[in-house]
Amino acid sequence: MAFCNIQPRTHWMQTPGSTANCPPGLEYLTQINHLFVCQRFDLLEVFSPFETNKTYDVMNNQGQRLYFAEEKSNCFIRHLCGPSRPFTMTIYDNVGCDVITLHKALRWSCCWSNCCLQKLKVEAPPGEIIGYVYQYYHPFLPMFKITNENKENLMKIRGPCVVSSCLKDLNFNLLSLDEEMIIGKISNQWIGFMRELFTNTNKFGIQFPFDLDVRIKALLLGASFLIRTTCILNSGHKSQPEKSYQTLLALSFASPQQN
């Protein structure tokens, strides 16, 4: 990865001490209740028809960087498949060690066939699977489930019936397995037509219990990338497909509440 491209005005969060039963590099997630994932500006993509590999800064609510994320995908496949493309995204810590790897499979954006449903594999550290994010069939709603490394269900994510509306916020509820309790929420905040037209900025907020296992927090971080790709970039919330100055995903963690 090219650390020379990281903006110098953003400071790294101080490296936390090691935590028992915590994958290396995920110690940051034990100390925070907000994450911000900001897509970095790419001049080549703005002024040309070419899709480039996306890069992101992952920060806390004080603007300190926790991680740097870098997509790796084939140039031809990026141009041909757009948001449906397969990719591997590597998430690095402040010394350049890769701590999380996301593997997205090639799936077209369709919920009518099992072969088209989206899925994401999450590894932390790379090479060691901690879980998966699966889209599953629903006739009206975008639905996802979070599973552990043994593919045992942990929780569900339910999106809104209409994702293409650009006149209101989008909320993806994080649910218990029986869908009776709202554990948290992934929210996309609409910022206004003119600003989105020129910046394509998306703001996401994720709410869930602060004391949630760090592995599940990493899985939800991966789910945010998958939801952005699956539901946002293929909806009316994109003005220019993946051509943006900045895409911002804000993740904030809160306590459970009854539905």
Side-chain angles (χ1 to χ4, degrees):
M1 60 177 291
F3 277 92
C4 60
N5 293 328
I6 294 179
Q7 298 174 0
R9 65 176 177 271
T10 303
H11 300 287
W12 286 95
M13 178 180 174
Q14 184 176 358
T15 304
S18 59
T19 304
N21 195 31
C22 177
L26 297 191
E27 296 89 355
Y28 292 97
L29 301 180
T30 66
Q31 300 186 358
I32 58 171
N33 61 356
H34 291 78
L35 287 177
F36 296 87
V37 183
C38 305
Q39 183 178 321
R40 296 179 60 80
F41 172 77
D42 192 318
L43 188 63
L44 176 63
E45 189 173 80
V46 172
F47 293 105
S48 76
F50 298 104
E51 295 276 355
T52 63
N53 279 320
K54 304 299 182 289
T55 56
Y56 304 86
D57 292 324
V58 182
M59 299 180 291
N60 62 15
N61 62 344
Q62 298 179 355
Q64 297 171 320
R65 186 185 292 111
L66 281 69
Y67 303 113
F68 176 78
E70 182 179 40
E71 175 191 349
K72 297 177 182 177
S73 59
N74 179 273
C75 179
F76 175 76
I77 297 297
R78 277 200 311 274
H79 186 75
L80 178 66
C81 302
S84 299
R85 65 182 178 268
F87 64 75
T88 296
M89 185 170 297
T90 305
I91 300 176
Y92 303 89
D93 64 9
N94 63 346
V95 294
C97 295
D98 43 348
V99 297
I100 305 173
T101 303
L102 312 176
H103 300 279
K104 180 186 177 297
L106 173 62
R107 292 291 189 275
W108 300 110
S109 297
C110 172
C111 62
W112 298 103
S113 172
N114 286 335
C115 66
C116 296
L117 297 177
Q118 305 291 329
K119 64 179 181 180
L120 185 82
K121 179 172 67 175
V122 182
E123 299 173 351
E128 183 173 331
I129 300 173
I130 61 170
Y132 302 85
V133 183
Y134 291 101
Q135 183 184 20
Y136 64 94
Y137 172 77
H138 190 282
F140 307 112
L141 304 173
M143 297 289 296
F144 300 84
K145 59 183 177 181
I146 305 294
T147 73
N148 62 17
E149 66 275 15
N150 298 318
K151 300 185 178 180
E152 298 169 338
N153 294 339
L154 299 174
M155 58 188 64
K156 297 181 179 180
I157 299 174
R158 181 176 62 204
C161 181
V162 179
V163 179
S164 60
S165 172
C166 61
L167 300 179
K168 62 180 181 180
D169 295 348
L170 296 179
N171 294 316
F172 295 80
N173 287 329
L174 181 61
L175 307 172
S176 59
L177 290 179
D178 60 8
E179 301 186 20
E180 294 296 325
M181 178 181 293
I182 298 178
I183 303 173
K185 186 180 296 184
I186 301 176
S187 301
N188 176 72
Q189 302 174 2
W190 188 66
I191 58 175
F193 176 76
M194 292 305 296
R195 184 176 175 186
E196 184 165 331
L197 177 64
F198 291 103
T199 66
N200 197 27
T201 300
N202 292 309
K203 295 183 177 181
F204 288 81
I206 298 182
Q207 301 178 354
F208 57 78
F210 181 84
D211 58 354
L212 199 64
D213 186 275
V214 292
R215 294 171 180 82
I216 302 180
K217 291 183 180 181
L219 287 169
L220 291 175
L221 177 58
S224 299
F225 284 107
L226 186 63
I227 288 174
R228 174 183 178 268
T229 301
T230 303
C231 300
I232 304 302
L233 294 181
N234 282 317
S235 73
H237 278 253
K238 62 174 183 178
S239 301
Q240 309 167 42
E242 296 228 65
K243 290 180 178 293
S244 62
Y245 289 100
Q246 181 187 53
T247 298
L248 176 64
L249 298 87
L251 294 82
S252 58
F253 313 138
S255 300
Q257 49 184 300
Q258 292 294 330
N259 193 1

